[in-house]
């Protein structure tokens, strides 16, 4: 039986932490007595909504951009995302003084496009299909020789996201578990690497919407199963696990906890109303998981860390508002 | 000419800080590069929305409740407020294990009533007039001998609010100014005491909505002028300065900066969207003041501290939403 080869080790995460030091924020940890009572345990919220660009994604993008040789960097970077990774890559490139190209579907919201452009990236429109996106990237690369930095399935991105866990374990003593949302799996697999190698006593849980539950199904089937049609307001978690992120979910994640839409909305409102923490739906998925009866029934988890992944929300219409 | 007698000194604020230590939160200070660019200077946000009950009011209420003798405390406390002070007093009383009575107009929103009751206070309904409120308090006092803790015009309350400035000056070096919203003046006069006695180099600015501008008019007229009809979404700032808080505004506050409603809403949205800081309109008034052309033109204020007073917002309808 051959040993599984993981894409990165703890050393890569430590190197990433050094690389992004002073560029990324050391985000604060908050607590909320009211939510603790509902959860039946002490919760610690790692607030990545206060990270640059409002999401943990800056860590991975920044690490990947800093890892480029000067020669590579001179040609710029490219990605095809319309979410937080695009903004993160745009800012990371700007801070290194290099070009960033973002291939974005024509139907992306104007707000998302504007956010990326504000950080200085060049937007390339394409049709809203995966094939068109990949074609768009290939075209940019042919013209510019820019390096592709994908949103999660890349060793440098995973190592960067892992720095969340490094900080968290440094900020809070005696955590029994860390719970984080899972979409493509960059964040959760970075956390897994850190916990497995440096603090194996810390259980890692992934939280996922039922409407995009490929990680839960993959875990149950012990095979990487892609996501089909999605149906969730947690728009940061629509993507499937990748070849590099799946092995960590398979081997290290204790359990993938799935939650319903109403549970996500309720958890989001709790965080806003009681903890004054303005997070996006994808972040609320992790708290929603911790508030399920099945999680509440788990023993031995007195101190649980929750990664709030980001705070980029459409403030014109909140999920609990039925208007419009 | 007789020397003005102020209600409290720096010693009272230091004693308050000791008294509420471990009960009140030491709230964090946040920064936001985007808002700095708009303001033309470095801004430091003291985040009292993360204080217990979601507002700085807990500091003053807690100090006042802790100052009671055991004999006084046994009879409980009473106030007539429907805002953050009522919640703050309810929680402060609960933490000391004593009764709290809140006289509240019949037309107060159910959410406000519920919040106070959740902290264990007894609500006494009254007609929505000042006379009825005062009568309600007198009735409670006659029945229970409870001590009245008013929302701002009280030495122990002012001393408690002053602890915001103690912490702020400790957390941020070389502040050139502190800007805070002014309603009844408990917060601003507490800040004035601290700056005047311990760091006179720090300029104190008050920020006020044009629709409730008694402090600006009083300052201009050099006499305490009461507030008439109010018209502002900054519902924490509707009250007039009091006999105890006015002298500090008169003598120590550098300037009362007034702002329009659209400026308040814009500043509030900036804080939510760019800094991910969920604050109530009253808090946004302070940033709005700093973003006015007249404030931006002020020289020598490279590092400005802004007190974000609280985060208790109606999440069903945000000020920038035109619906319903």
């Amino acid at each position: 039986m051959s040993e599984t080869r993981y894409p990165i080790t703890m050393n890569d995460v430590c190197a990433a932490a050094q690389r992004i030091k002073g560029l990324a924020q050391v985000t604060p940890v908050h607590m909320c007595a009211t939510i603790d009572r509902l959860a039946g345990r002490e919760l610690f919220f790692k607030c990545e909504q206060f990270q640059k660009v409002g999401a943990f994604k800056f860590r991975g993008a920044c690490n990947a951009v800093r890892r480029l040789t000067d020669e590579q960097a001179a040609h710029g970077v490219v990605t095809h995302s319309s979410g937080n990774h695009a903004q993160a890559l745009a800012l990371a490139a700007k801070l290194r003084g290099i070009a960033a190209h973002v291939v974005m579907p024509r139907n992306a919201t104007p707000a998302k496009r504007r956010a990326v452009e504000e950080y200085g990236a060049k937007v390339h429109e394409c049709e809203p299909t995966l094939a068109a996106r990949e074609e768009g990237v290939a075209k940019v690369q042919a013209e510019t020789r820019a390096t592709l930095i994908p949103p999660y399935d890349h060793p440098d991105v995973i190592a960067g996201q892992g720095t969340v866990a490094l900080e968290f374990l440094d900020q809070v003593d005696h955590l029994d578990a860390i719970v984080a949302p899972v979409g493509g799996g960059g964040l959760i697999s970075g956390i897994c690497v850190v916990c497995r190698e440096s603090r194996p006593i810390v259980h890692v849980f992934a939280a996922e919407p039922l409407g995009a539950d490929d990680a839960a199904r993959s875990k149950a089937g012990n095979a990487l199963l892609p996501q089909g049609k999605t149906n969730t307001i947690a728009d940061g978690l629509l993507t499937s696990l990748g070849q590099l992120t799946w092995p960590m979910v398979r081997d290290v994640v204790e359990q993938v906890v799935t939650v319903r839409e109403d549970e996500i909305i309720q958890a989001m409102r709790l965080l806003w109303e009681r903890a004054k923490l303005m997070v996006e739906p994808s972040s609320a998925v992790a708290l929603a998981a911790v508030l399920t009866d099945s999680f509440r029934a788990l023993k031995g988890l007195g101190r649980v860390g929750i990664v709030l992944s980001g705070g980029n929300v459409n403030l014109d219409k909140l999920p609990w508002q039925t208007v419009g």
Side-chain angles (χ1 to χ4, degrees), chain A:
Chain A
M1 225 174 95
S2 72
E3 204 192 320
T4 306
R5 293 283 292 277
Y6 297 118
I8 63 161
T9 71
M10 179 73 180
N11 286 344
D12 298 304
V13 181
C14 293
Q18 284 307 311
R19 218 171 272 129
I20 69 176
K21 198 173 175 172
L23 297 165
Q25 303 284 346
V26 175
T27 53
V29 174
H30 281 240
M31 299 190 66
C32 176
T34 305
I35 302 181
D36 281 0
R37 274 194 297 278
L38 294 171
R41 41 177 61 105
E42 275 187 295
L43 302 182
F44 302 85
F45 297 105
K46 177 72 172 159
C47 295
E48 288 294 299
Q49 72 271 31
F50 299 129
Q51 187 51 265
K52 294 230 175 103
V53 314
F56 75 91
K57 294 275 184 179
F58 181 71
R59 297 172 182 268
C62 186
N63 185 49
V65 165
R66 292 281 146 177
R67 278 269 284 161
L68 298 174
T69 65
D70 286 345
E71 226 249 89
Q72 291 172 312
H75 300 293
V77 288
V78 59
T79 198
H80 59 82
S81 152
S82 53
N84 290 332
H85 174 65
Q87 292 183 49
L89 189 66
L91 178 59
K94 184 183 177 183
L95 293 176
R96 188 160 175 181
I98 65 174
H101 302 272
V102 175
V103 177
M104 205 178 260
R106 271 183 224 294
N107 59 357
T109 63
K112 283 187 174 171
R113 185 182 173 132
R114 211 180 316 120
V116 169
E117 286 174 339
E118 270 178 27
Y119 288 116
K122 178 149 200 271
V123 171
H124 305 260
E125 274 193 358
C126 72
E127 295 304 317
T129 66
L130 183 59
R133 286 185 182 208
E134 287 175 349
E135 201 180 298
V137 168
K139 190 154 166 277
V140 170
Q141 287 190 295
E143 283 166 12
T144 64
R145 292 170 61 200
T147 303
L148 171 63
I149 311 284
Y152 53 90
D153 220 24
H154 187 289
D156 297 337
V157 172
I158 296 171
Q161 319 306 30
T163 63
V164 170
L166 270 192
E167 275 178 30
F168 207 175
L169 294 173
D170 189 52
Q171 290 168 311
V172 185
D173 288 333
H174 306 299
L175 276 182
D176 297 307
I178 293 180
V179 185
V182 61
L187 174 62
I188 199 83
S189 55
I191 293 170
C192 284
V193 170
V194 171
C195 290
R196 175 174 171 273
E197 292 188 46
S198 77
R199 211 80 66 89
I201 204 171
V202 179
H203 303 272
V204 180
F205 291 84
E208 200 177 38
L210 269 170
D213 65 347
D214 65 296
R217 287 184 295 105
S218 298
K219 185 95 175 147
N222 200 31
L224 179 53
L225 301 173
Q227 182 61 46
K229 205 156 171 289
T230 57
N231 180 22
T232 176
I233 55 159
D235 59 356
L237 308 180
L238 302 179
T239 44
S240 303
L241 289 173
Q243 295 296 335
L244 300 185
T245 57
W246 158 239
M248 275 288 158
V249 173
R250 181 190 62 205
D251 299 346
V252 183
V253 165
E254 183 103 359
Q255 192 185 322
V256 181
V257 183
T258 52
V259 292
R260 298 187 313 266
E261 293 299 290
D262 62 312
E263 292 173 322
I264 299 171
I265 294 171
Q266 200 176 6
M268 181 172 163
R269 182 145 189 176
L270 258 180
L271 285 164
W272 285 48
E273 202 149 68
R274 306 311 300 245
K276 312 301 173 191
L277 295 174
M278 211 189 92
V279 296
E280 58 193 58
S282 304
S283 300
V285 168
L287 174 60
V290 169
L291 294 176
T292 57
D293 287 341
S294 66
F295 195 94
R296 283 171 42 85
L298 297 174
K299 303 288 180 209
L301 304 179
R303 293 163 67 84
V304 172
I306 292 180
V307 180
L308 299 178
S309 48
N312 292 325
V313 190
N314 175 5
L315 291 175
D316 289 318
K317 186 172 181 305
L318 303 176
W320 48 79
Q321 295 176 327
T322 51
V323 287

